[in-house]
Amino acid sequence: DTGVSQDPRHKITKRGQNVTFRCDPISEHNRLYWYRQTLGQGPEFLTYFQNEAQLEKSRLLSDRFSAERPKGSFSTLEIQRTEQGDSAMYLCASSLGYFGTNEKLFFGSGTQLSVL
Amino acid sequence: KNQVEQSPQSLIILEGKNCTLQCNYTVSPFSNLRWYKQDTGRGPVSLTIMTFSENTKSNGRYTATLDADTKQSSLHITASQLSDSASYICVVSVSNFGNEKLTFGTGTRLTIIP
């Protein structure tokens, strides 16, 4: 499978615990995005990377959230001290080249987080 | 505030019938408009991308239209199949100092029944 892969697919955790998600983009894609999606809503932008540089972070990304893309390939999204409001689908997407040229965004299947 | 509104929220049609989904947007400056299909529990998959100068684009049984003057788009599905059951999300890209930002609609939940 040469698409965007995310791991794990599902994560159940207790409030206050830390969780980490991984995203492996399509290999030649230099841009990587994280989105959050709750039931019945469209995805909301969290952050994106151009290669290893994190170029933008949404106001939704509180200080409990951190994302990395250390070698410009895979990325991790960590949530510290999880809260019930963090329960959502976390989607990763990747694209090739300058986004302004209408490049397609390819999404992974997401990680469904449930905070109890 | 940039917004993308879709209608209807949900739609149920018989297999083989056609349907049209609507999208209205109030974003500026407009760069392009995208339609995505999202199966339950999966990530969105791109169907079409249209720029300002394009007013129609097809992808198999899916045909998207764009009226940039009225800021409206539609997605027409012909001869629906059971596999078309999904959420269809309208996404508008805003160009801001060379950076693109996507504004997602909340989607139309389409159910095809046999």
Side-chain angles (χ1 to χ4, degrees):
Chain A
D1 187 346
T2 57
V4 178
S5 63
Q6 292 188 244
D7 183 69
R9 287 296 313 279
H10 304 274
K11 179 70 177 178
I12 300 173
T13 190
K14 291 183 179 178
R15 186 163 50 94
Q17 297 295 304
N18 299 343
V19 294
T20 300
F21 311 140
R22 177 181 170 122
C23 171
D24 286 90
I26 293 172
S27 60
E28 65 270 24
H29 284 187
N30 57 347
R31 286 205 172 194
L32 186 148
Y33 302 79
W34 285 99
Y35 288 85
R36 181 172 71 185
Q37 185 177 25
T38 54
L39 198 63
Q41 301 296 313
E44 297 173 296
F45 170 79
L46 293 178
T47 187
Y48 90 89
F49 294 83
Q50 171 109 357
N51 300 312
E52 67 276 8
Q54 188 173 18
L55 295 186
E56 187 173 351
K57 293 193 289 187
S58 161
R59 285 173 294 177
L60 292 174
L61 214 68
S62 75
D63 55 6
R64 296 185 297 106
F65 288 70
S66 63
E68 293 183 343
R69 195 183 183 197
K71 297 181 180 179
S73 55
F74 73 92
S75 175
T76 58
L77 177 67
E78 181 183 15
I79 309 174
Q80 295 182 326
R81 305 180 303 281
T82 53
E83 302 172 356
Q84 287 184 326
D86 296 332
S87 296
M89 172 81 85
Y90 289 84
L91 291 164
C92 176
S94 69
S95 71
L96 175 65
Y98 175 51
F99 190 62
T101 58
N102 306 321
E103 290 285 345
K104 263 191 191 179
L105 216 57
F106 292 84
F107 283 86
S109 293
T111 294
Q112 182 66 53
L113 173 66
S114 298
V115 181
L116 305 178
Chain B
K1 181 182 176 183
N2 292 332
Q3 284 189 315
V4 178
E5 296 183 350
Q6 294 187 242
S7 62
Q9 271 193 327
S10 61
L11 182 63
I12 301 173
I13 64 171
L14 288 173
E15 184 181 10
K17 298 296 186 182
N18 304 336
C19 66
T20 300
L21 315 179
Q22 301 291 342
C23 173
N24 297 333
Y25 61 92
T26 55
V27 301
S28 179
F30 174 87
S31 178
N32 58 69
L33 186 144
R34 305 154 182 256
W35 282 94
Y36 282 85
K37 177 186 178 187
Q38 186 173 24
D39 293 316
T40 301
R42 312 290 292 186
V45 174
S46 178
L47 294 176
T48 61
I49 301 175
M50 288 184 291
T51 61
F52 185 90
S53 59
E54 297 174 297
N55 54 25
T56 186
K57 184 164 276 190
S58 291
N59 178 1
R61 295 179 296 102
Y62 301 102
T63 299
T65 65
L66 172 64
D67 186 333
D69 291 331
T70 61
K71 298 187 176 181
Q72 295 180 325
S73 176
S74 66
L75 180 69
H76 186 74
I77 304 174
T78 304
S80 61
Q81 300 176 358
L82 296 178
S83 59
D84 293 332
S85 293
S87 286
Y88 291 84
I89 305 175
C90 176
V91 186
V92 180
S93 175
V94 178
S95 178
N96 186 18
F97 299 105
N99 292 320
E100 298 280 334
K101 284 194 175 182
L102 299 184
T103 301
F104 287 76
T106 56
T108 292
R109 177 70 206 174
L110 176 65
T111 303
I112 310 299
I113 56 176

